[in-house]
Amino acid sequence: MRVTLGVGVISTVASQQEASRFPPHVLASFHIPKTFMSDLISVITANSVDPDTIFANNEMSLRDIEIYGFDYDYTLAFYSSHLHTLIFNIARDILVTNHRYPEGLRKYEYIPSFAVRGLHYDVQKALLMKIDAFHYIQLGTVYRGLHPVPDEEVIAMYEGCHVPLEIMSDFYGKSSHGHTMKQFMDIFSLPEMTLLSCVNDFFMRHNIDYEPVHLYKDVKEAIRDVHVKGIMYRAVEADIEKYICYGEQSHAVLKKLSAQGKKMFLITNSPFDFVDRGMNFIVGKDWRDLFDVVIVQADKPSFFNDRRKPFRRVTDKGVLLWDRIHRLEKGQIYKQGNLYEFLRLTGWRGSKVLYFGDHIYSDLADLTLKHGWRTGAIIPELRKEIKIMNTPEYVHMMTWLQSLTGLIEQMQVHRDPTSRAVVEEWIKEREAMKPHTKDIFNAQFGSLFRTYHNPTYFSRRLSRFADIYMASISCLLNYDFQHTFFPRRTPLQHEASYWPEHGSAGLGASSPAPQDQSRV
């Protein structure tokens, strides 16, 4: 008899005569999960995760935080989808105009739903892929151009699915010093990944022989020109309402911190005129009154490591002054500098400082590893993924997948032919479900945080370098300044579970206070 299994339901045997063919332990496995799964789905559905929750990797109390620091792009300022289209189009046209790429590339348009953050790109093989925390490639997520590469071909190219450490990107995700992989950790990198894939696609479609390394470097240079030459900045400033999402909640967070007497500073790689225009739109003309220190064109991550660059004061008209900086004054604008000088001039050290940024490497890694600051990662994609996770479709699918995995684990010890046949059916169904767990988030690459069961490479770095993480800084509005964030104590593999694994969805996150609770 072939056992048919469906998402959320385990088939029972059709008759007593058929039932007599199965050993008791097999029959028991048909019935136990039914009530278990029904109860489990009800509990999970009733305790859906609030997208405005702040999640903790490390225990941290806001009562200990005296100074709050912020990046600008995708931390205080959030951009509409129009910006990625703009970056893609300008960089594409730079390739055609300046690098003499084929005119036919202009037919390609930005594909917002194609890539996700955290992917790796093999520069020499021209492959875009997702890699998990253990350096294994997630099969089904390897793309050459705009088309997936068959699993058999991937396994042949890499002699398996593992990517050795020596060819992975360096600490900041860059491809250098013999590394052949580049990791895209910046939200601004989404247009770059899409452009790389589109150009690869054009060359393959037209059977054009090309050098992948040259292609990668040219696309990288074109994207850099969009930023460095100020093309993007001028476009955003000219039509700010089109590109910047109104930051009413960002303004509310800054006002709340100011009202509590907290020190605040801004460290960004963006130029002053661009930041000033955006902050005028988000906060108002008096935005500088909220910050004790403002640093632009900081050149992160070098800002956190290079002691050689001194601060320079910038006038409101953008003129660089030559005088030596003896203190960082409120209301003034400073350029470049370095963190060591910043610490000397401000005395803001250690765990009383909390810095928010969206780039896990450039914004957060050095601060937590070398300087002991607290760090908060802003992950805008989190809100969309949580909403998907709260859907009945996802809850049913993942509950059944976990139950199915548990059944396989328990039943595999039985070696009789009937038991083995049932287990084989379950294994096939489990494998068949994997693509669905990917596609529900993104048809090409799946979730930002998981490769099927394992955490992604991105997710592992997030847990290492960020004390807390959230969809936007507006999530701070849901907590008072006495709140302590506690990470979930998930059992290690050799530990027993001392708490119901599927209890409240608030476990593992510091849930927002009820709406009627007074907020400080």
Side-chain angles (χ1 to χ4, degrees), residues 125-398:
K125 294 182 174 67
L127 298 176
L128 189 65
M129 68 190 74
K130 191 163 75 169
I131 296 179
D132 74 9
F134 301 96
H135 295 195
Y136 281 91
I137 299 167
Q138 180 180 352
L139 294 177
T141 69
V142 181
Y143 275 70
R144 182 184 288 116
L146 298 174
H147 300 281
V149 179
D151 294 348
E152 300 78 14
E153 187 177 342
V154 174
I155 293 169
M157 281 190 291
Y158 291 94
E159 298 181 348
C161 296
H162 187 263
V163 180
L165 178 63
E166 59 267 20
I167 71 170
M168 296 288 282
S169 56
D170 66 11
F171 182 77
Y172 294 104
K174 298 178 180 178
S175 174
S176 58
H177 307 297
H179 301 283
T180 61
M181 291 281 192
K182 151 77 177 178
Q183 189 183 17
F184 291 100
M185 297 291 275
D186 193 347
I187 300 176
F188 281 129
S189 66
L190 292 172
E192 183 176 356
M193 286 186 276
T194 307
L195 183 58
L196 272 170
S197 299
C198 288
V199 179
N200 275 306
D201 182 75
F202 179 88
F203 286 152
M204 288 187 297
R205 282 180 179 272
H206 293 83
N207 296 315
I208 299 174
D209 188 24
Y210 68 101
E211 173 53 61
V213 175
H214 297 330
L215 168 61
Y216 167 74
K217 290 182 178 179
D218 290 344
V219 170
K220 179 181 177 182
E221 183 176 330
I223 292 288
R224 187 181 66 236
D225 285 350
V226 176
H227 296 272
V228 173
K229 293 185 177 180
I231 304 171
M232 183 195 79
Y233 300 135
R234 290 191 294 273
V236 172
E237 290 177 47
D239 196 353
I240 203 157
E241 293 186 4
K242 177 179 179 180
Y243 294 109
I244 294 185
C245 303
Y246 183 57
E248 183 177 353
Q249 290 187 313
S250 294
H251 187 193
V253 170
L254 297 176
K255 295 288 285 187
K256 179 179 178 181
L257 292 169
S258 178
Q260 290 294 313
K262 303 295 183 180
K263 299 286 187 181
M264 286 186 286
F265 63 93
L266 176 66
I267 302 178
T268 175
N269 285 350
S270 294
F272 172 68
D273 288 345
F274 179 70
V275 174
D276 185 51
R277 184 81 171 88
M279 290 298 285
N280 278 333
F281 177 72
I282 295 169
V283 176
K285 292 183 179 181
D286 61 345
W287 70 269
R288 286 161 61 179
D289 295 340
L290 295 171
F291 292 92
D292 295 273
V293 179
V294 176
I295 300 167
V296 298
Q297 292 178 277
D299 193 25
K300 295 178 293 184
S302 295
F303 179 87
F304 299 126
N305 299 293
D306 191 343
R307 298 172 182 260
R308 294 171 296 178
K309 294 180 180 178
F311 286 107
R312 293 196 73 169
R313 193 153 59 89
V314 186
T315 68
D316 290 347
K317 296 182 178 180
V319 177
L320 289 173
L321 302 181
W322 49 261
D323 53 317
R324 184 188 293 272
I325 304 301
H326 294 283
R327 62 182 180 274
L328 299 176
E329 300 178 13
K330 186 169 184 174
Q332 300 296 322
I333 304 297
Y334 300 93
K335 177 182 176 181
Q336 293 181 344
N338 65 82
L339 185 65
Y340 298 93
E341 189 70 1
F342 179 88
L343 297 175
R344 185 184 71 82
L345 294 173
T346 63
W348 296 345
R349 299 177 182 275
S351 58
K352 66 182 179 180
V353 184
L354 172 58
Y355 184 79
F356 293 95
D358 68 287
H359 198 301
I360 297 172
Y361 294 154
S362 295
D363 287 326
L364 309 181
D366 289 313
L367 292 177
T368 188
L369 292 177
K370 298 180 181 180
H371 302 285
W373 283 12
R374 295 295 201 163
T375 53
I378 304 301
I379 314 292
E381 303 95 331
L382 191 62
R383 183 167 279 113
K384 177 184 175 183
E385 292 216 6
I386 289 175
K387 288 180 179 179
I388 292 172
M389 291 164 57
N390 286 339
T391 61
E393 178 188 0
Y394 182 84
V395 172
H396 281 73
M397 179 171 61
M398 294 310 299

Side-chain angles (χ1 to χ4, degrees), residues 50-57 60 62 68-70 74-75 78 117 187 253 354-358 364 374-384 386 448-449 458 462 466-479 485 509-510 512:
D50 187 340
D52 289 322
T53 298
I54 293 178
F55 303 90
N57 292 319
M60 187 191 79
L62 291 181
Y68 287 77
F70 301 92
Y74 286 107
T75 300
F78 286 84
R117 211 161 29 130
I187 300 176
V253 170
L354 172 58
Y355 184 79
F356 293 95
D358 68 287
L364 309 181
R374 295 295 201 163
T375 53
I378 304 301
I379 314 292
E381 303 95 331
L382 191 62
R383 183 167 279 113
K384 177 184 175 183
I386 289 175
L448 177 65
F449 302 96
F458 175 93
L462 173 65
D467 290 288
I468 56 176
Y469 64 99
M470 66 211 76
S472 72
I473 62 166
S474 64
C475 298
L476 283 169
L477 296 172
N478 297 314
Y479 302 84
F485 298 100
S510 289

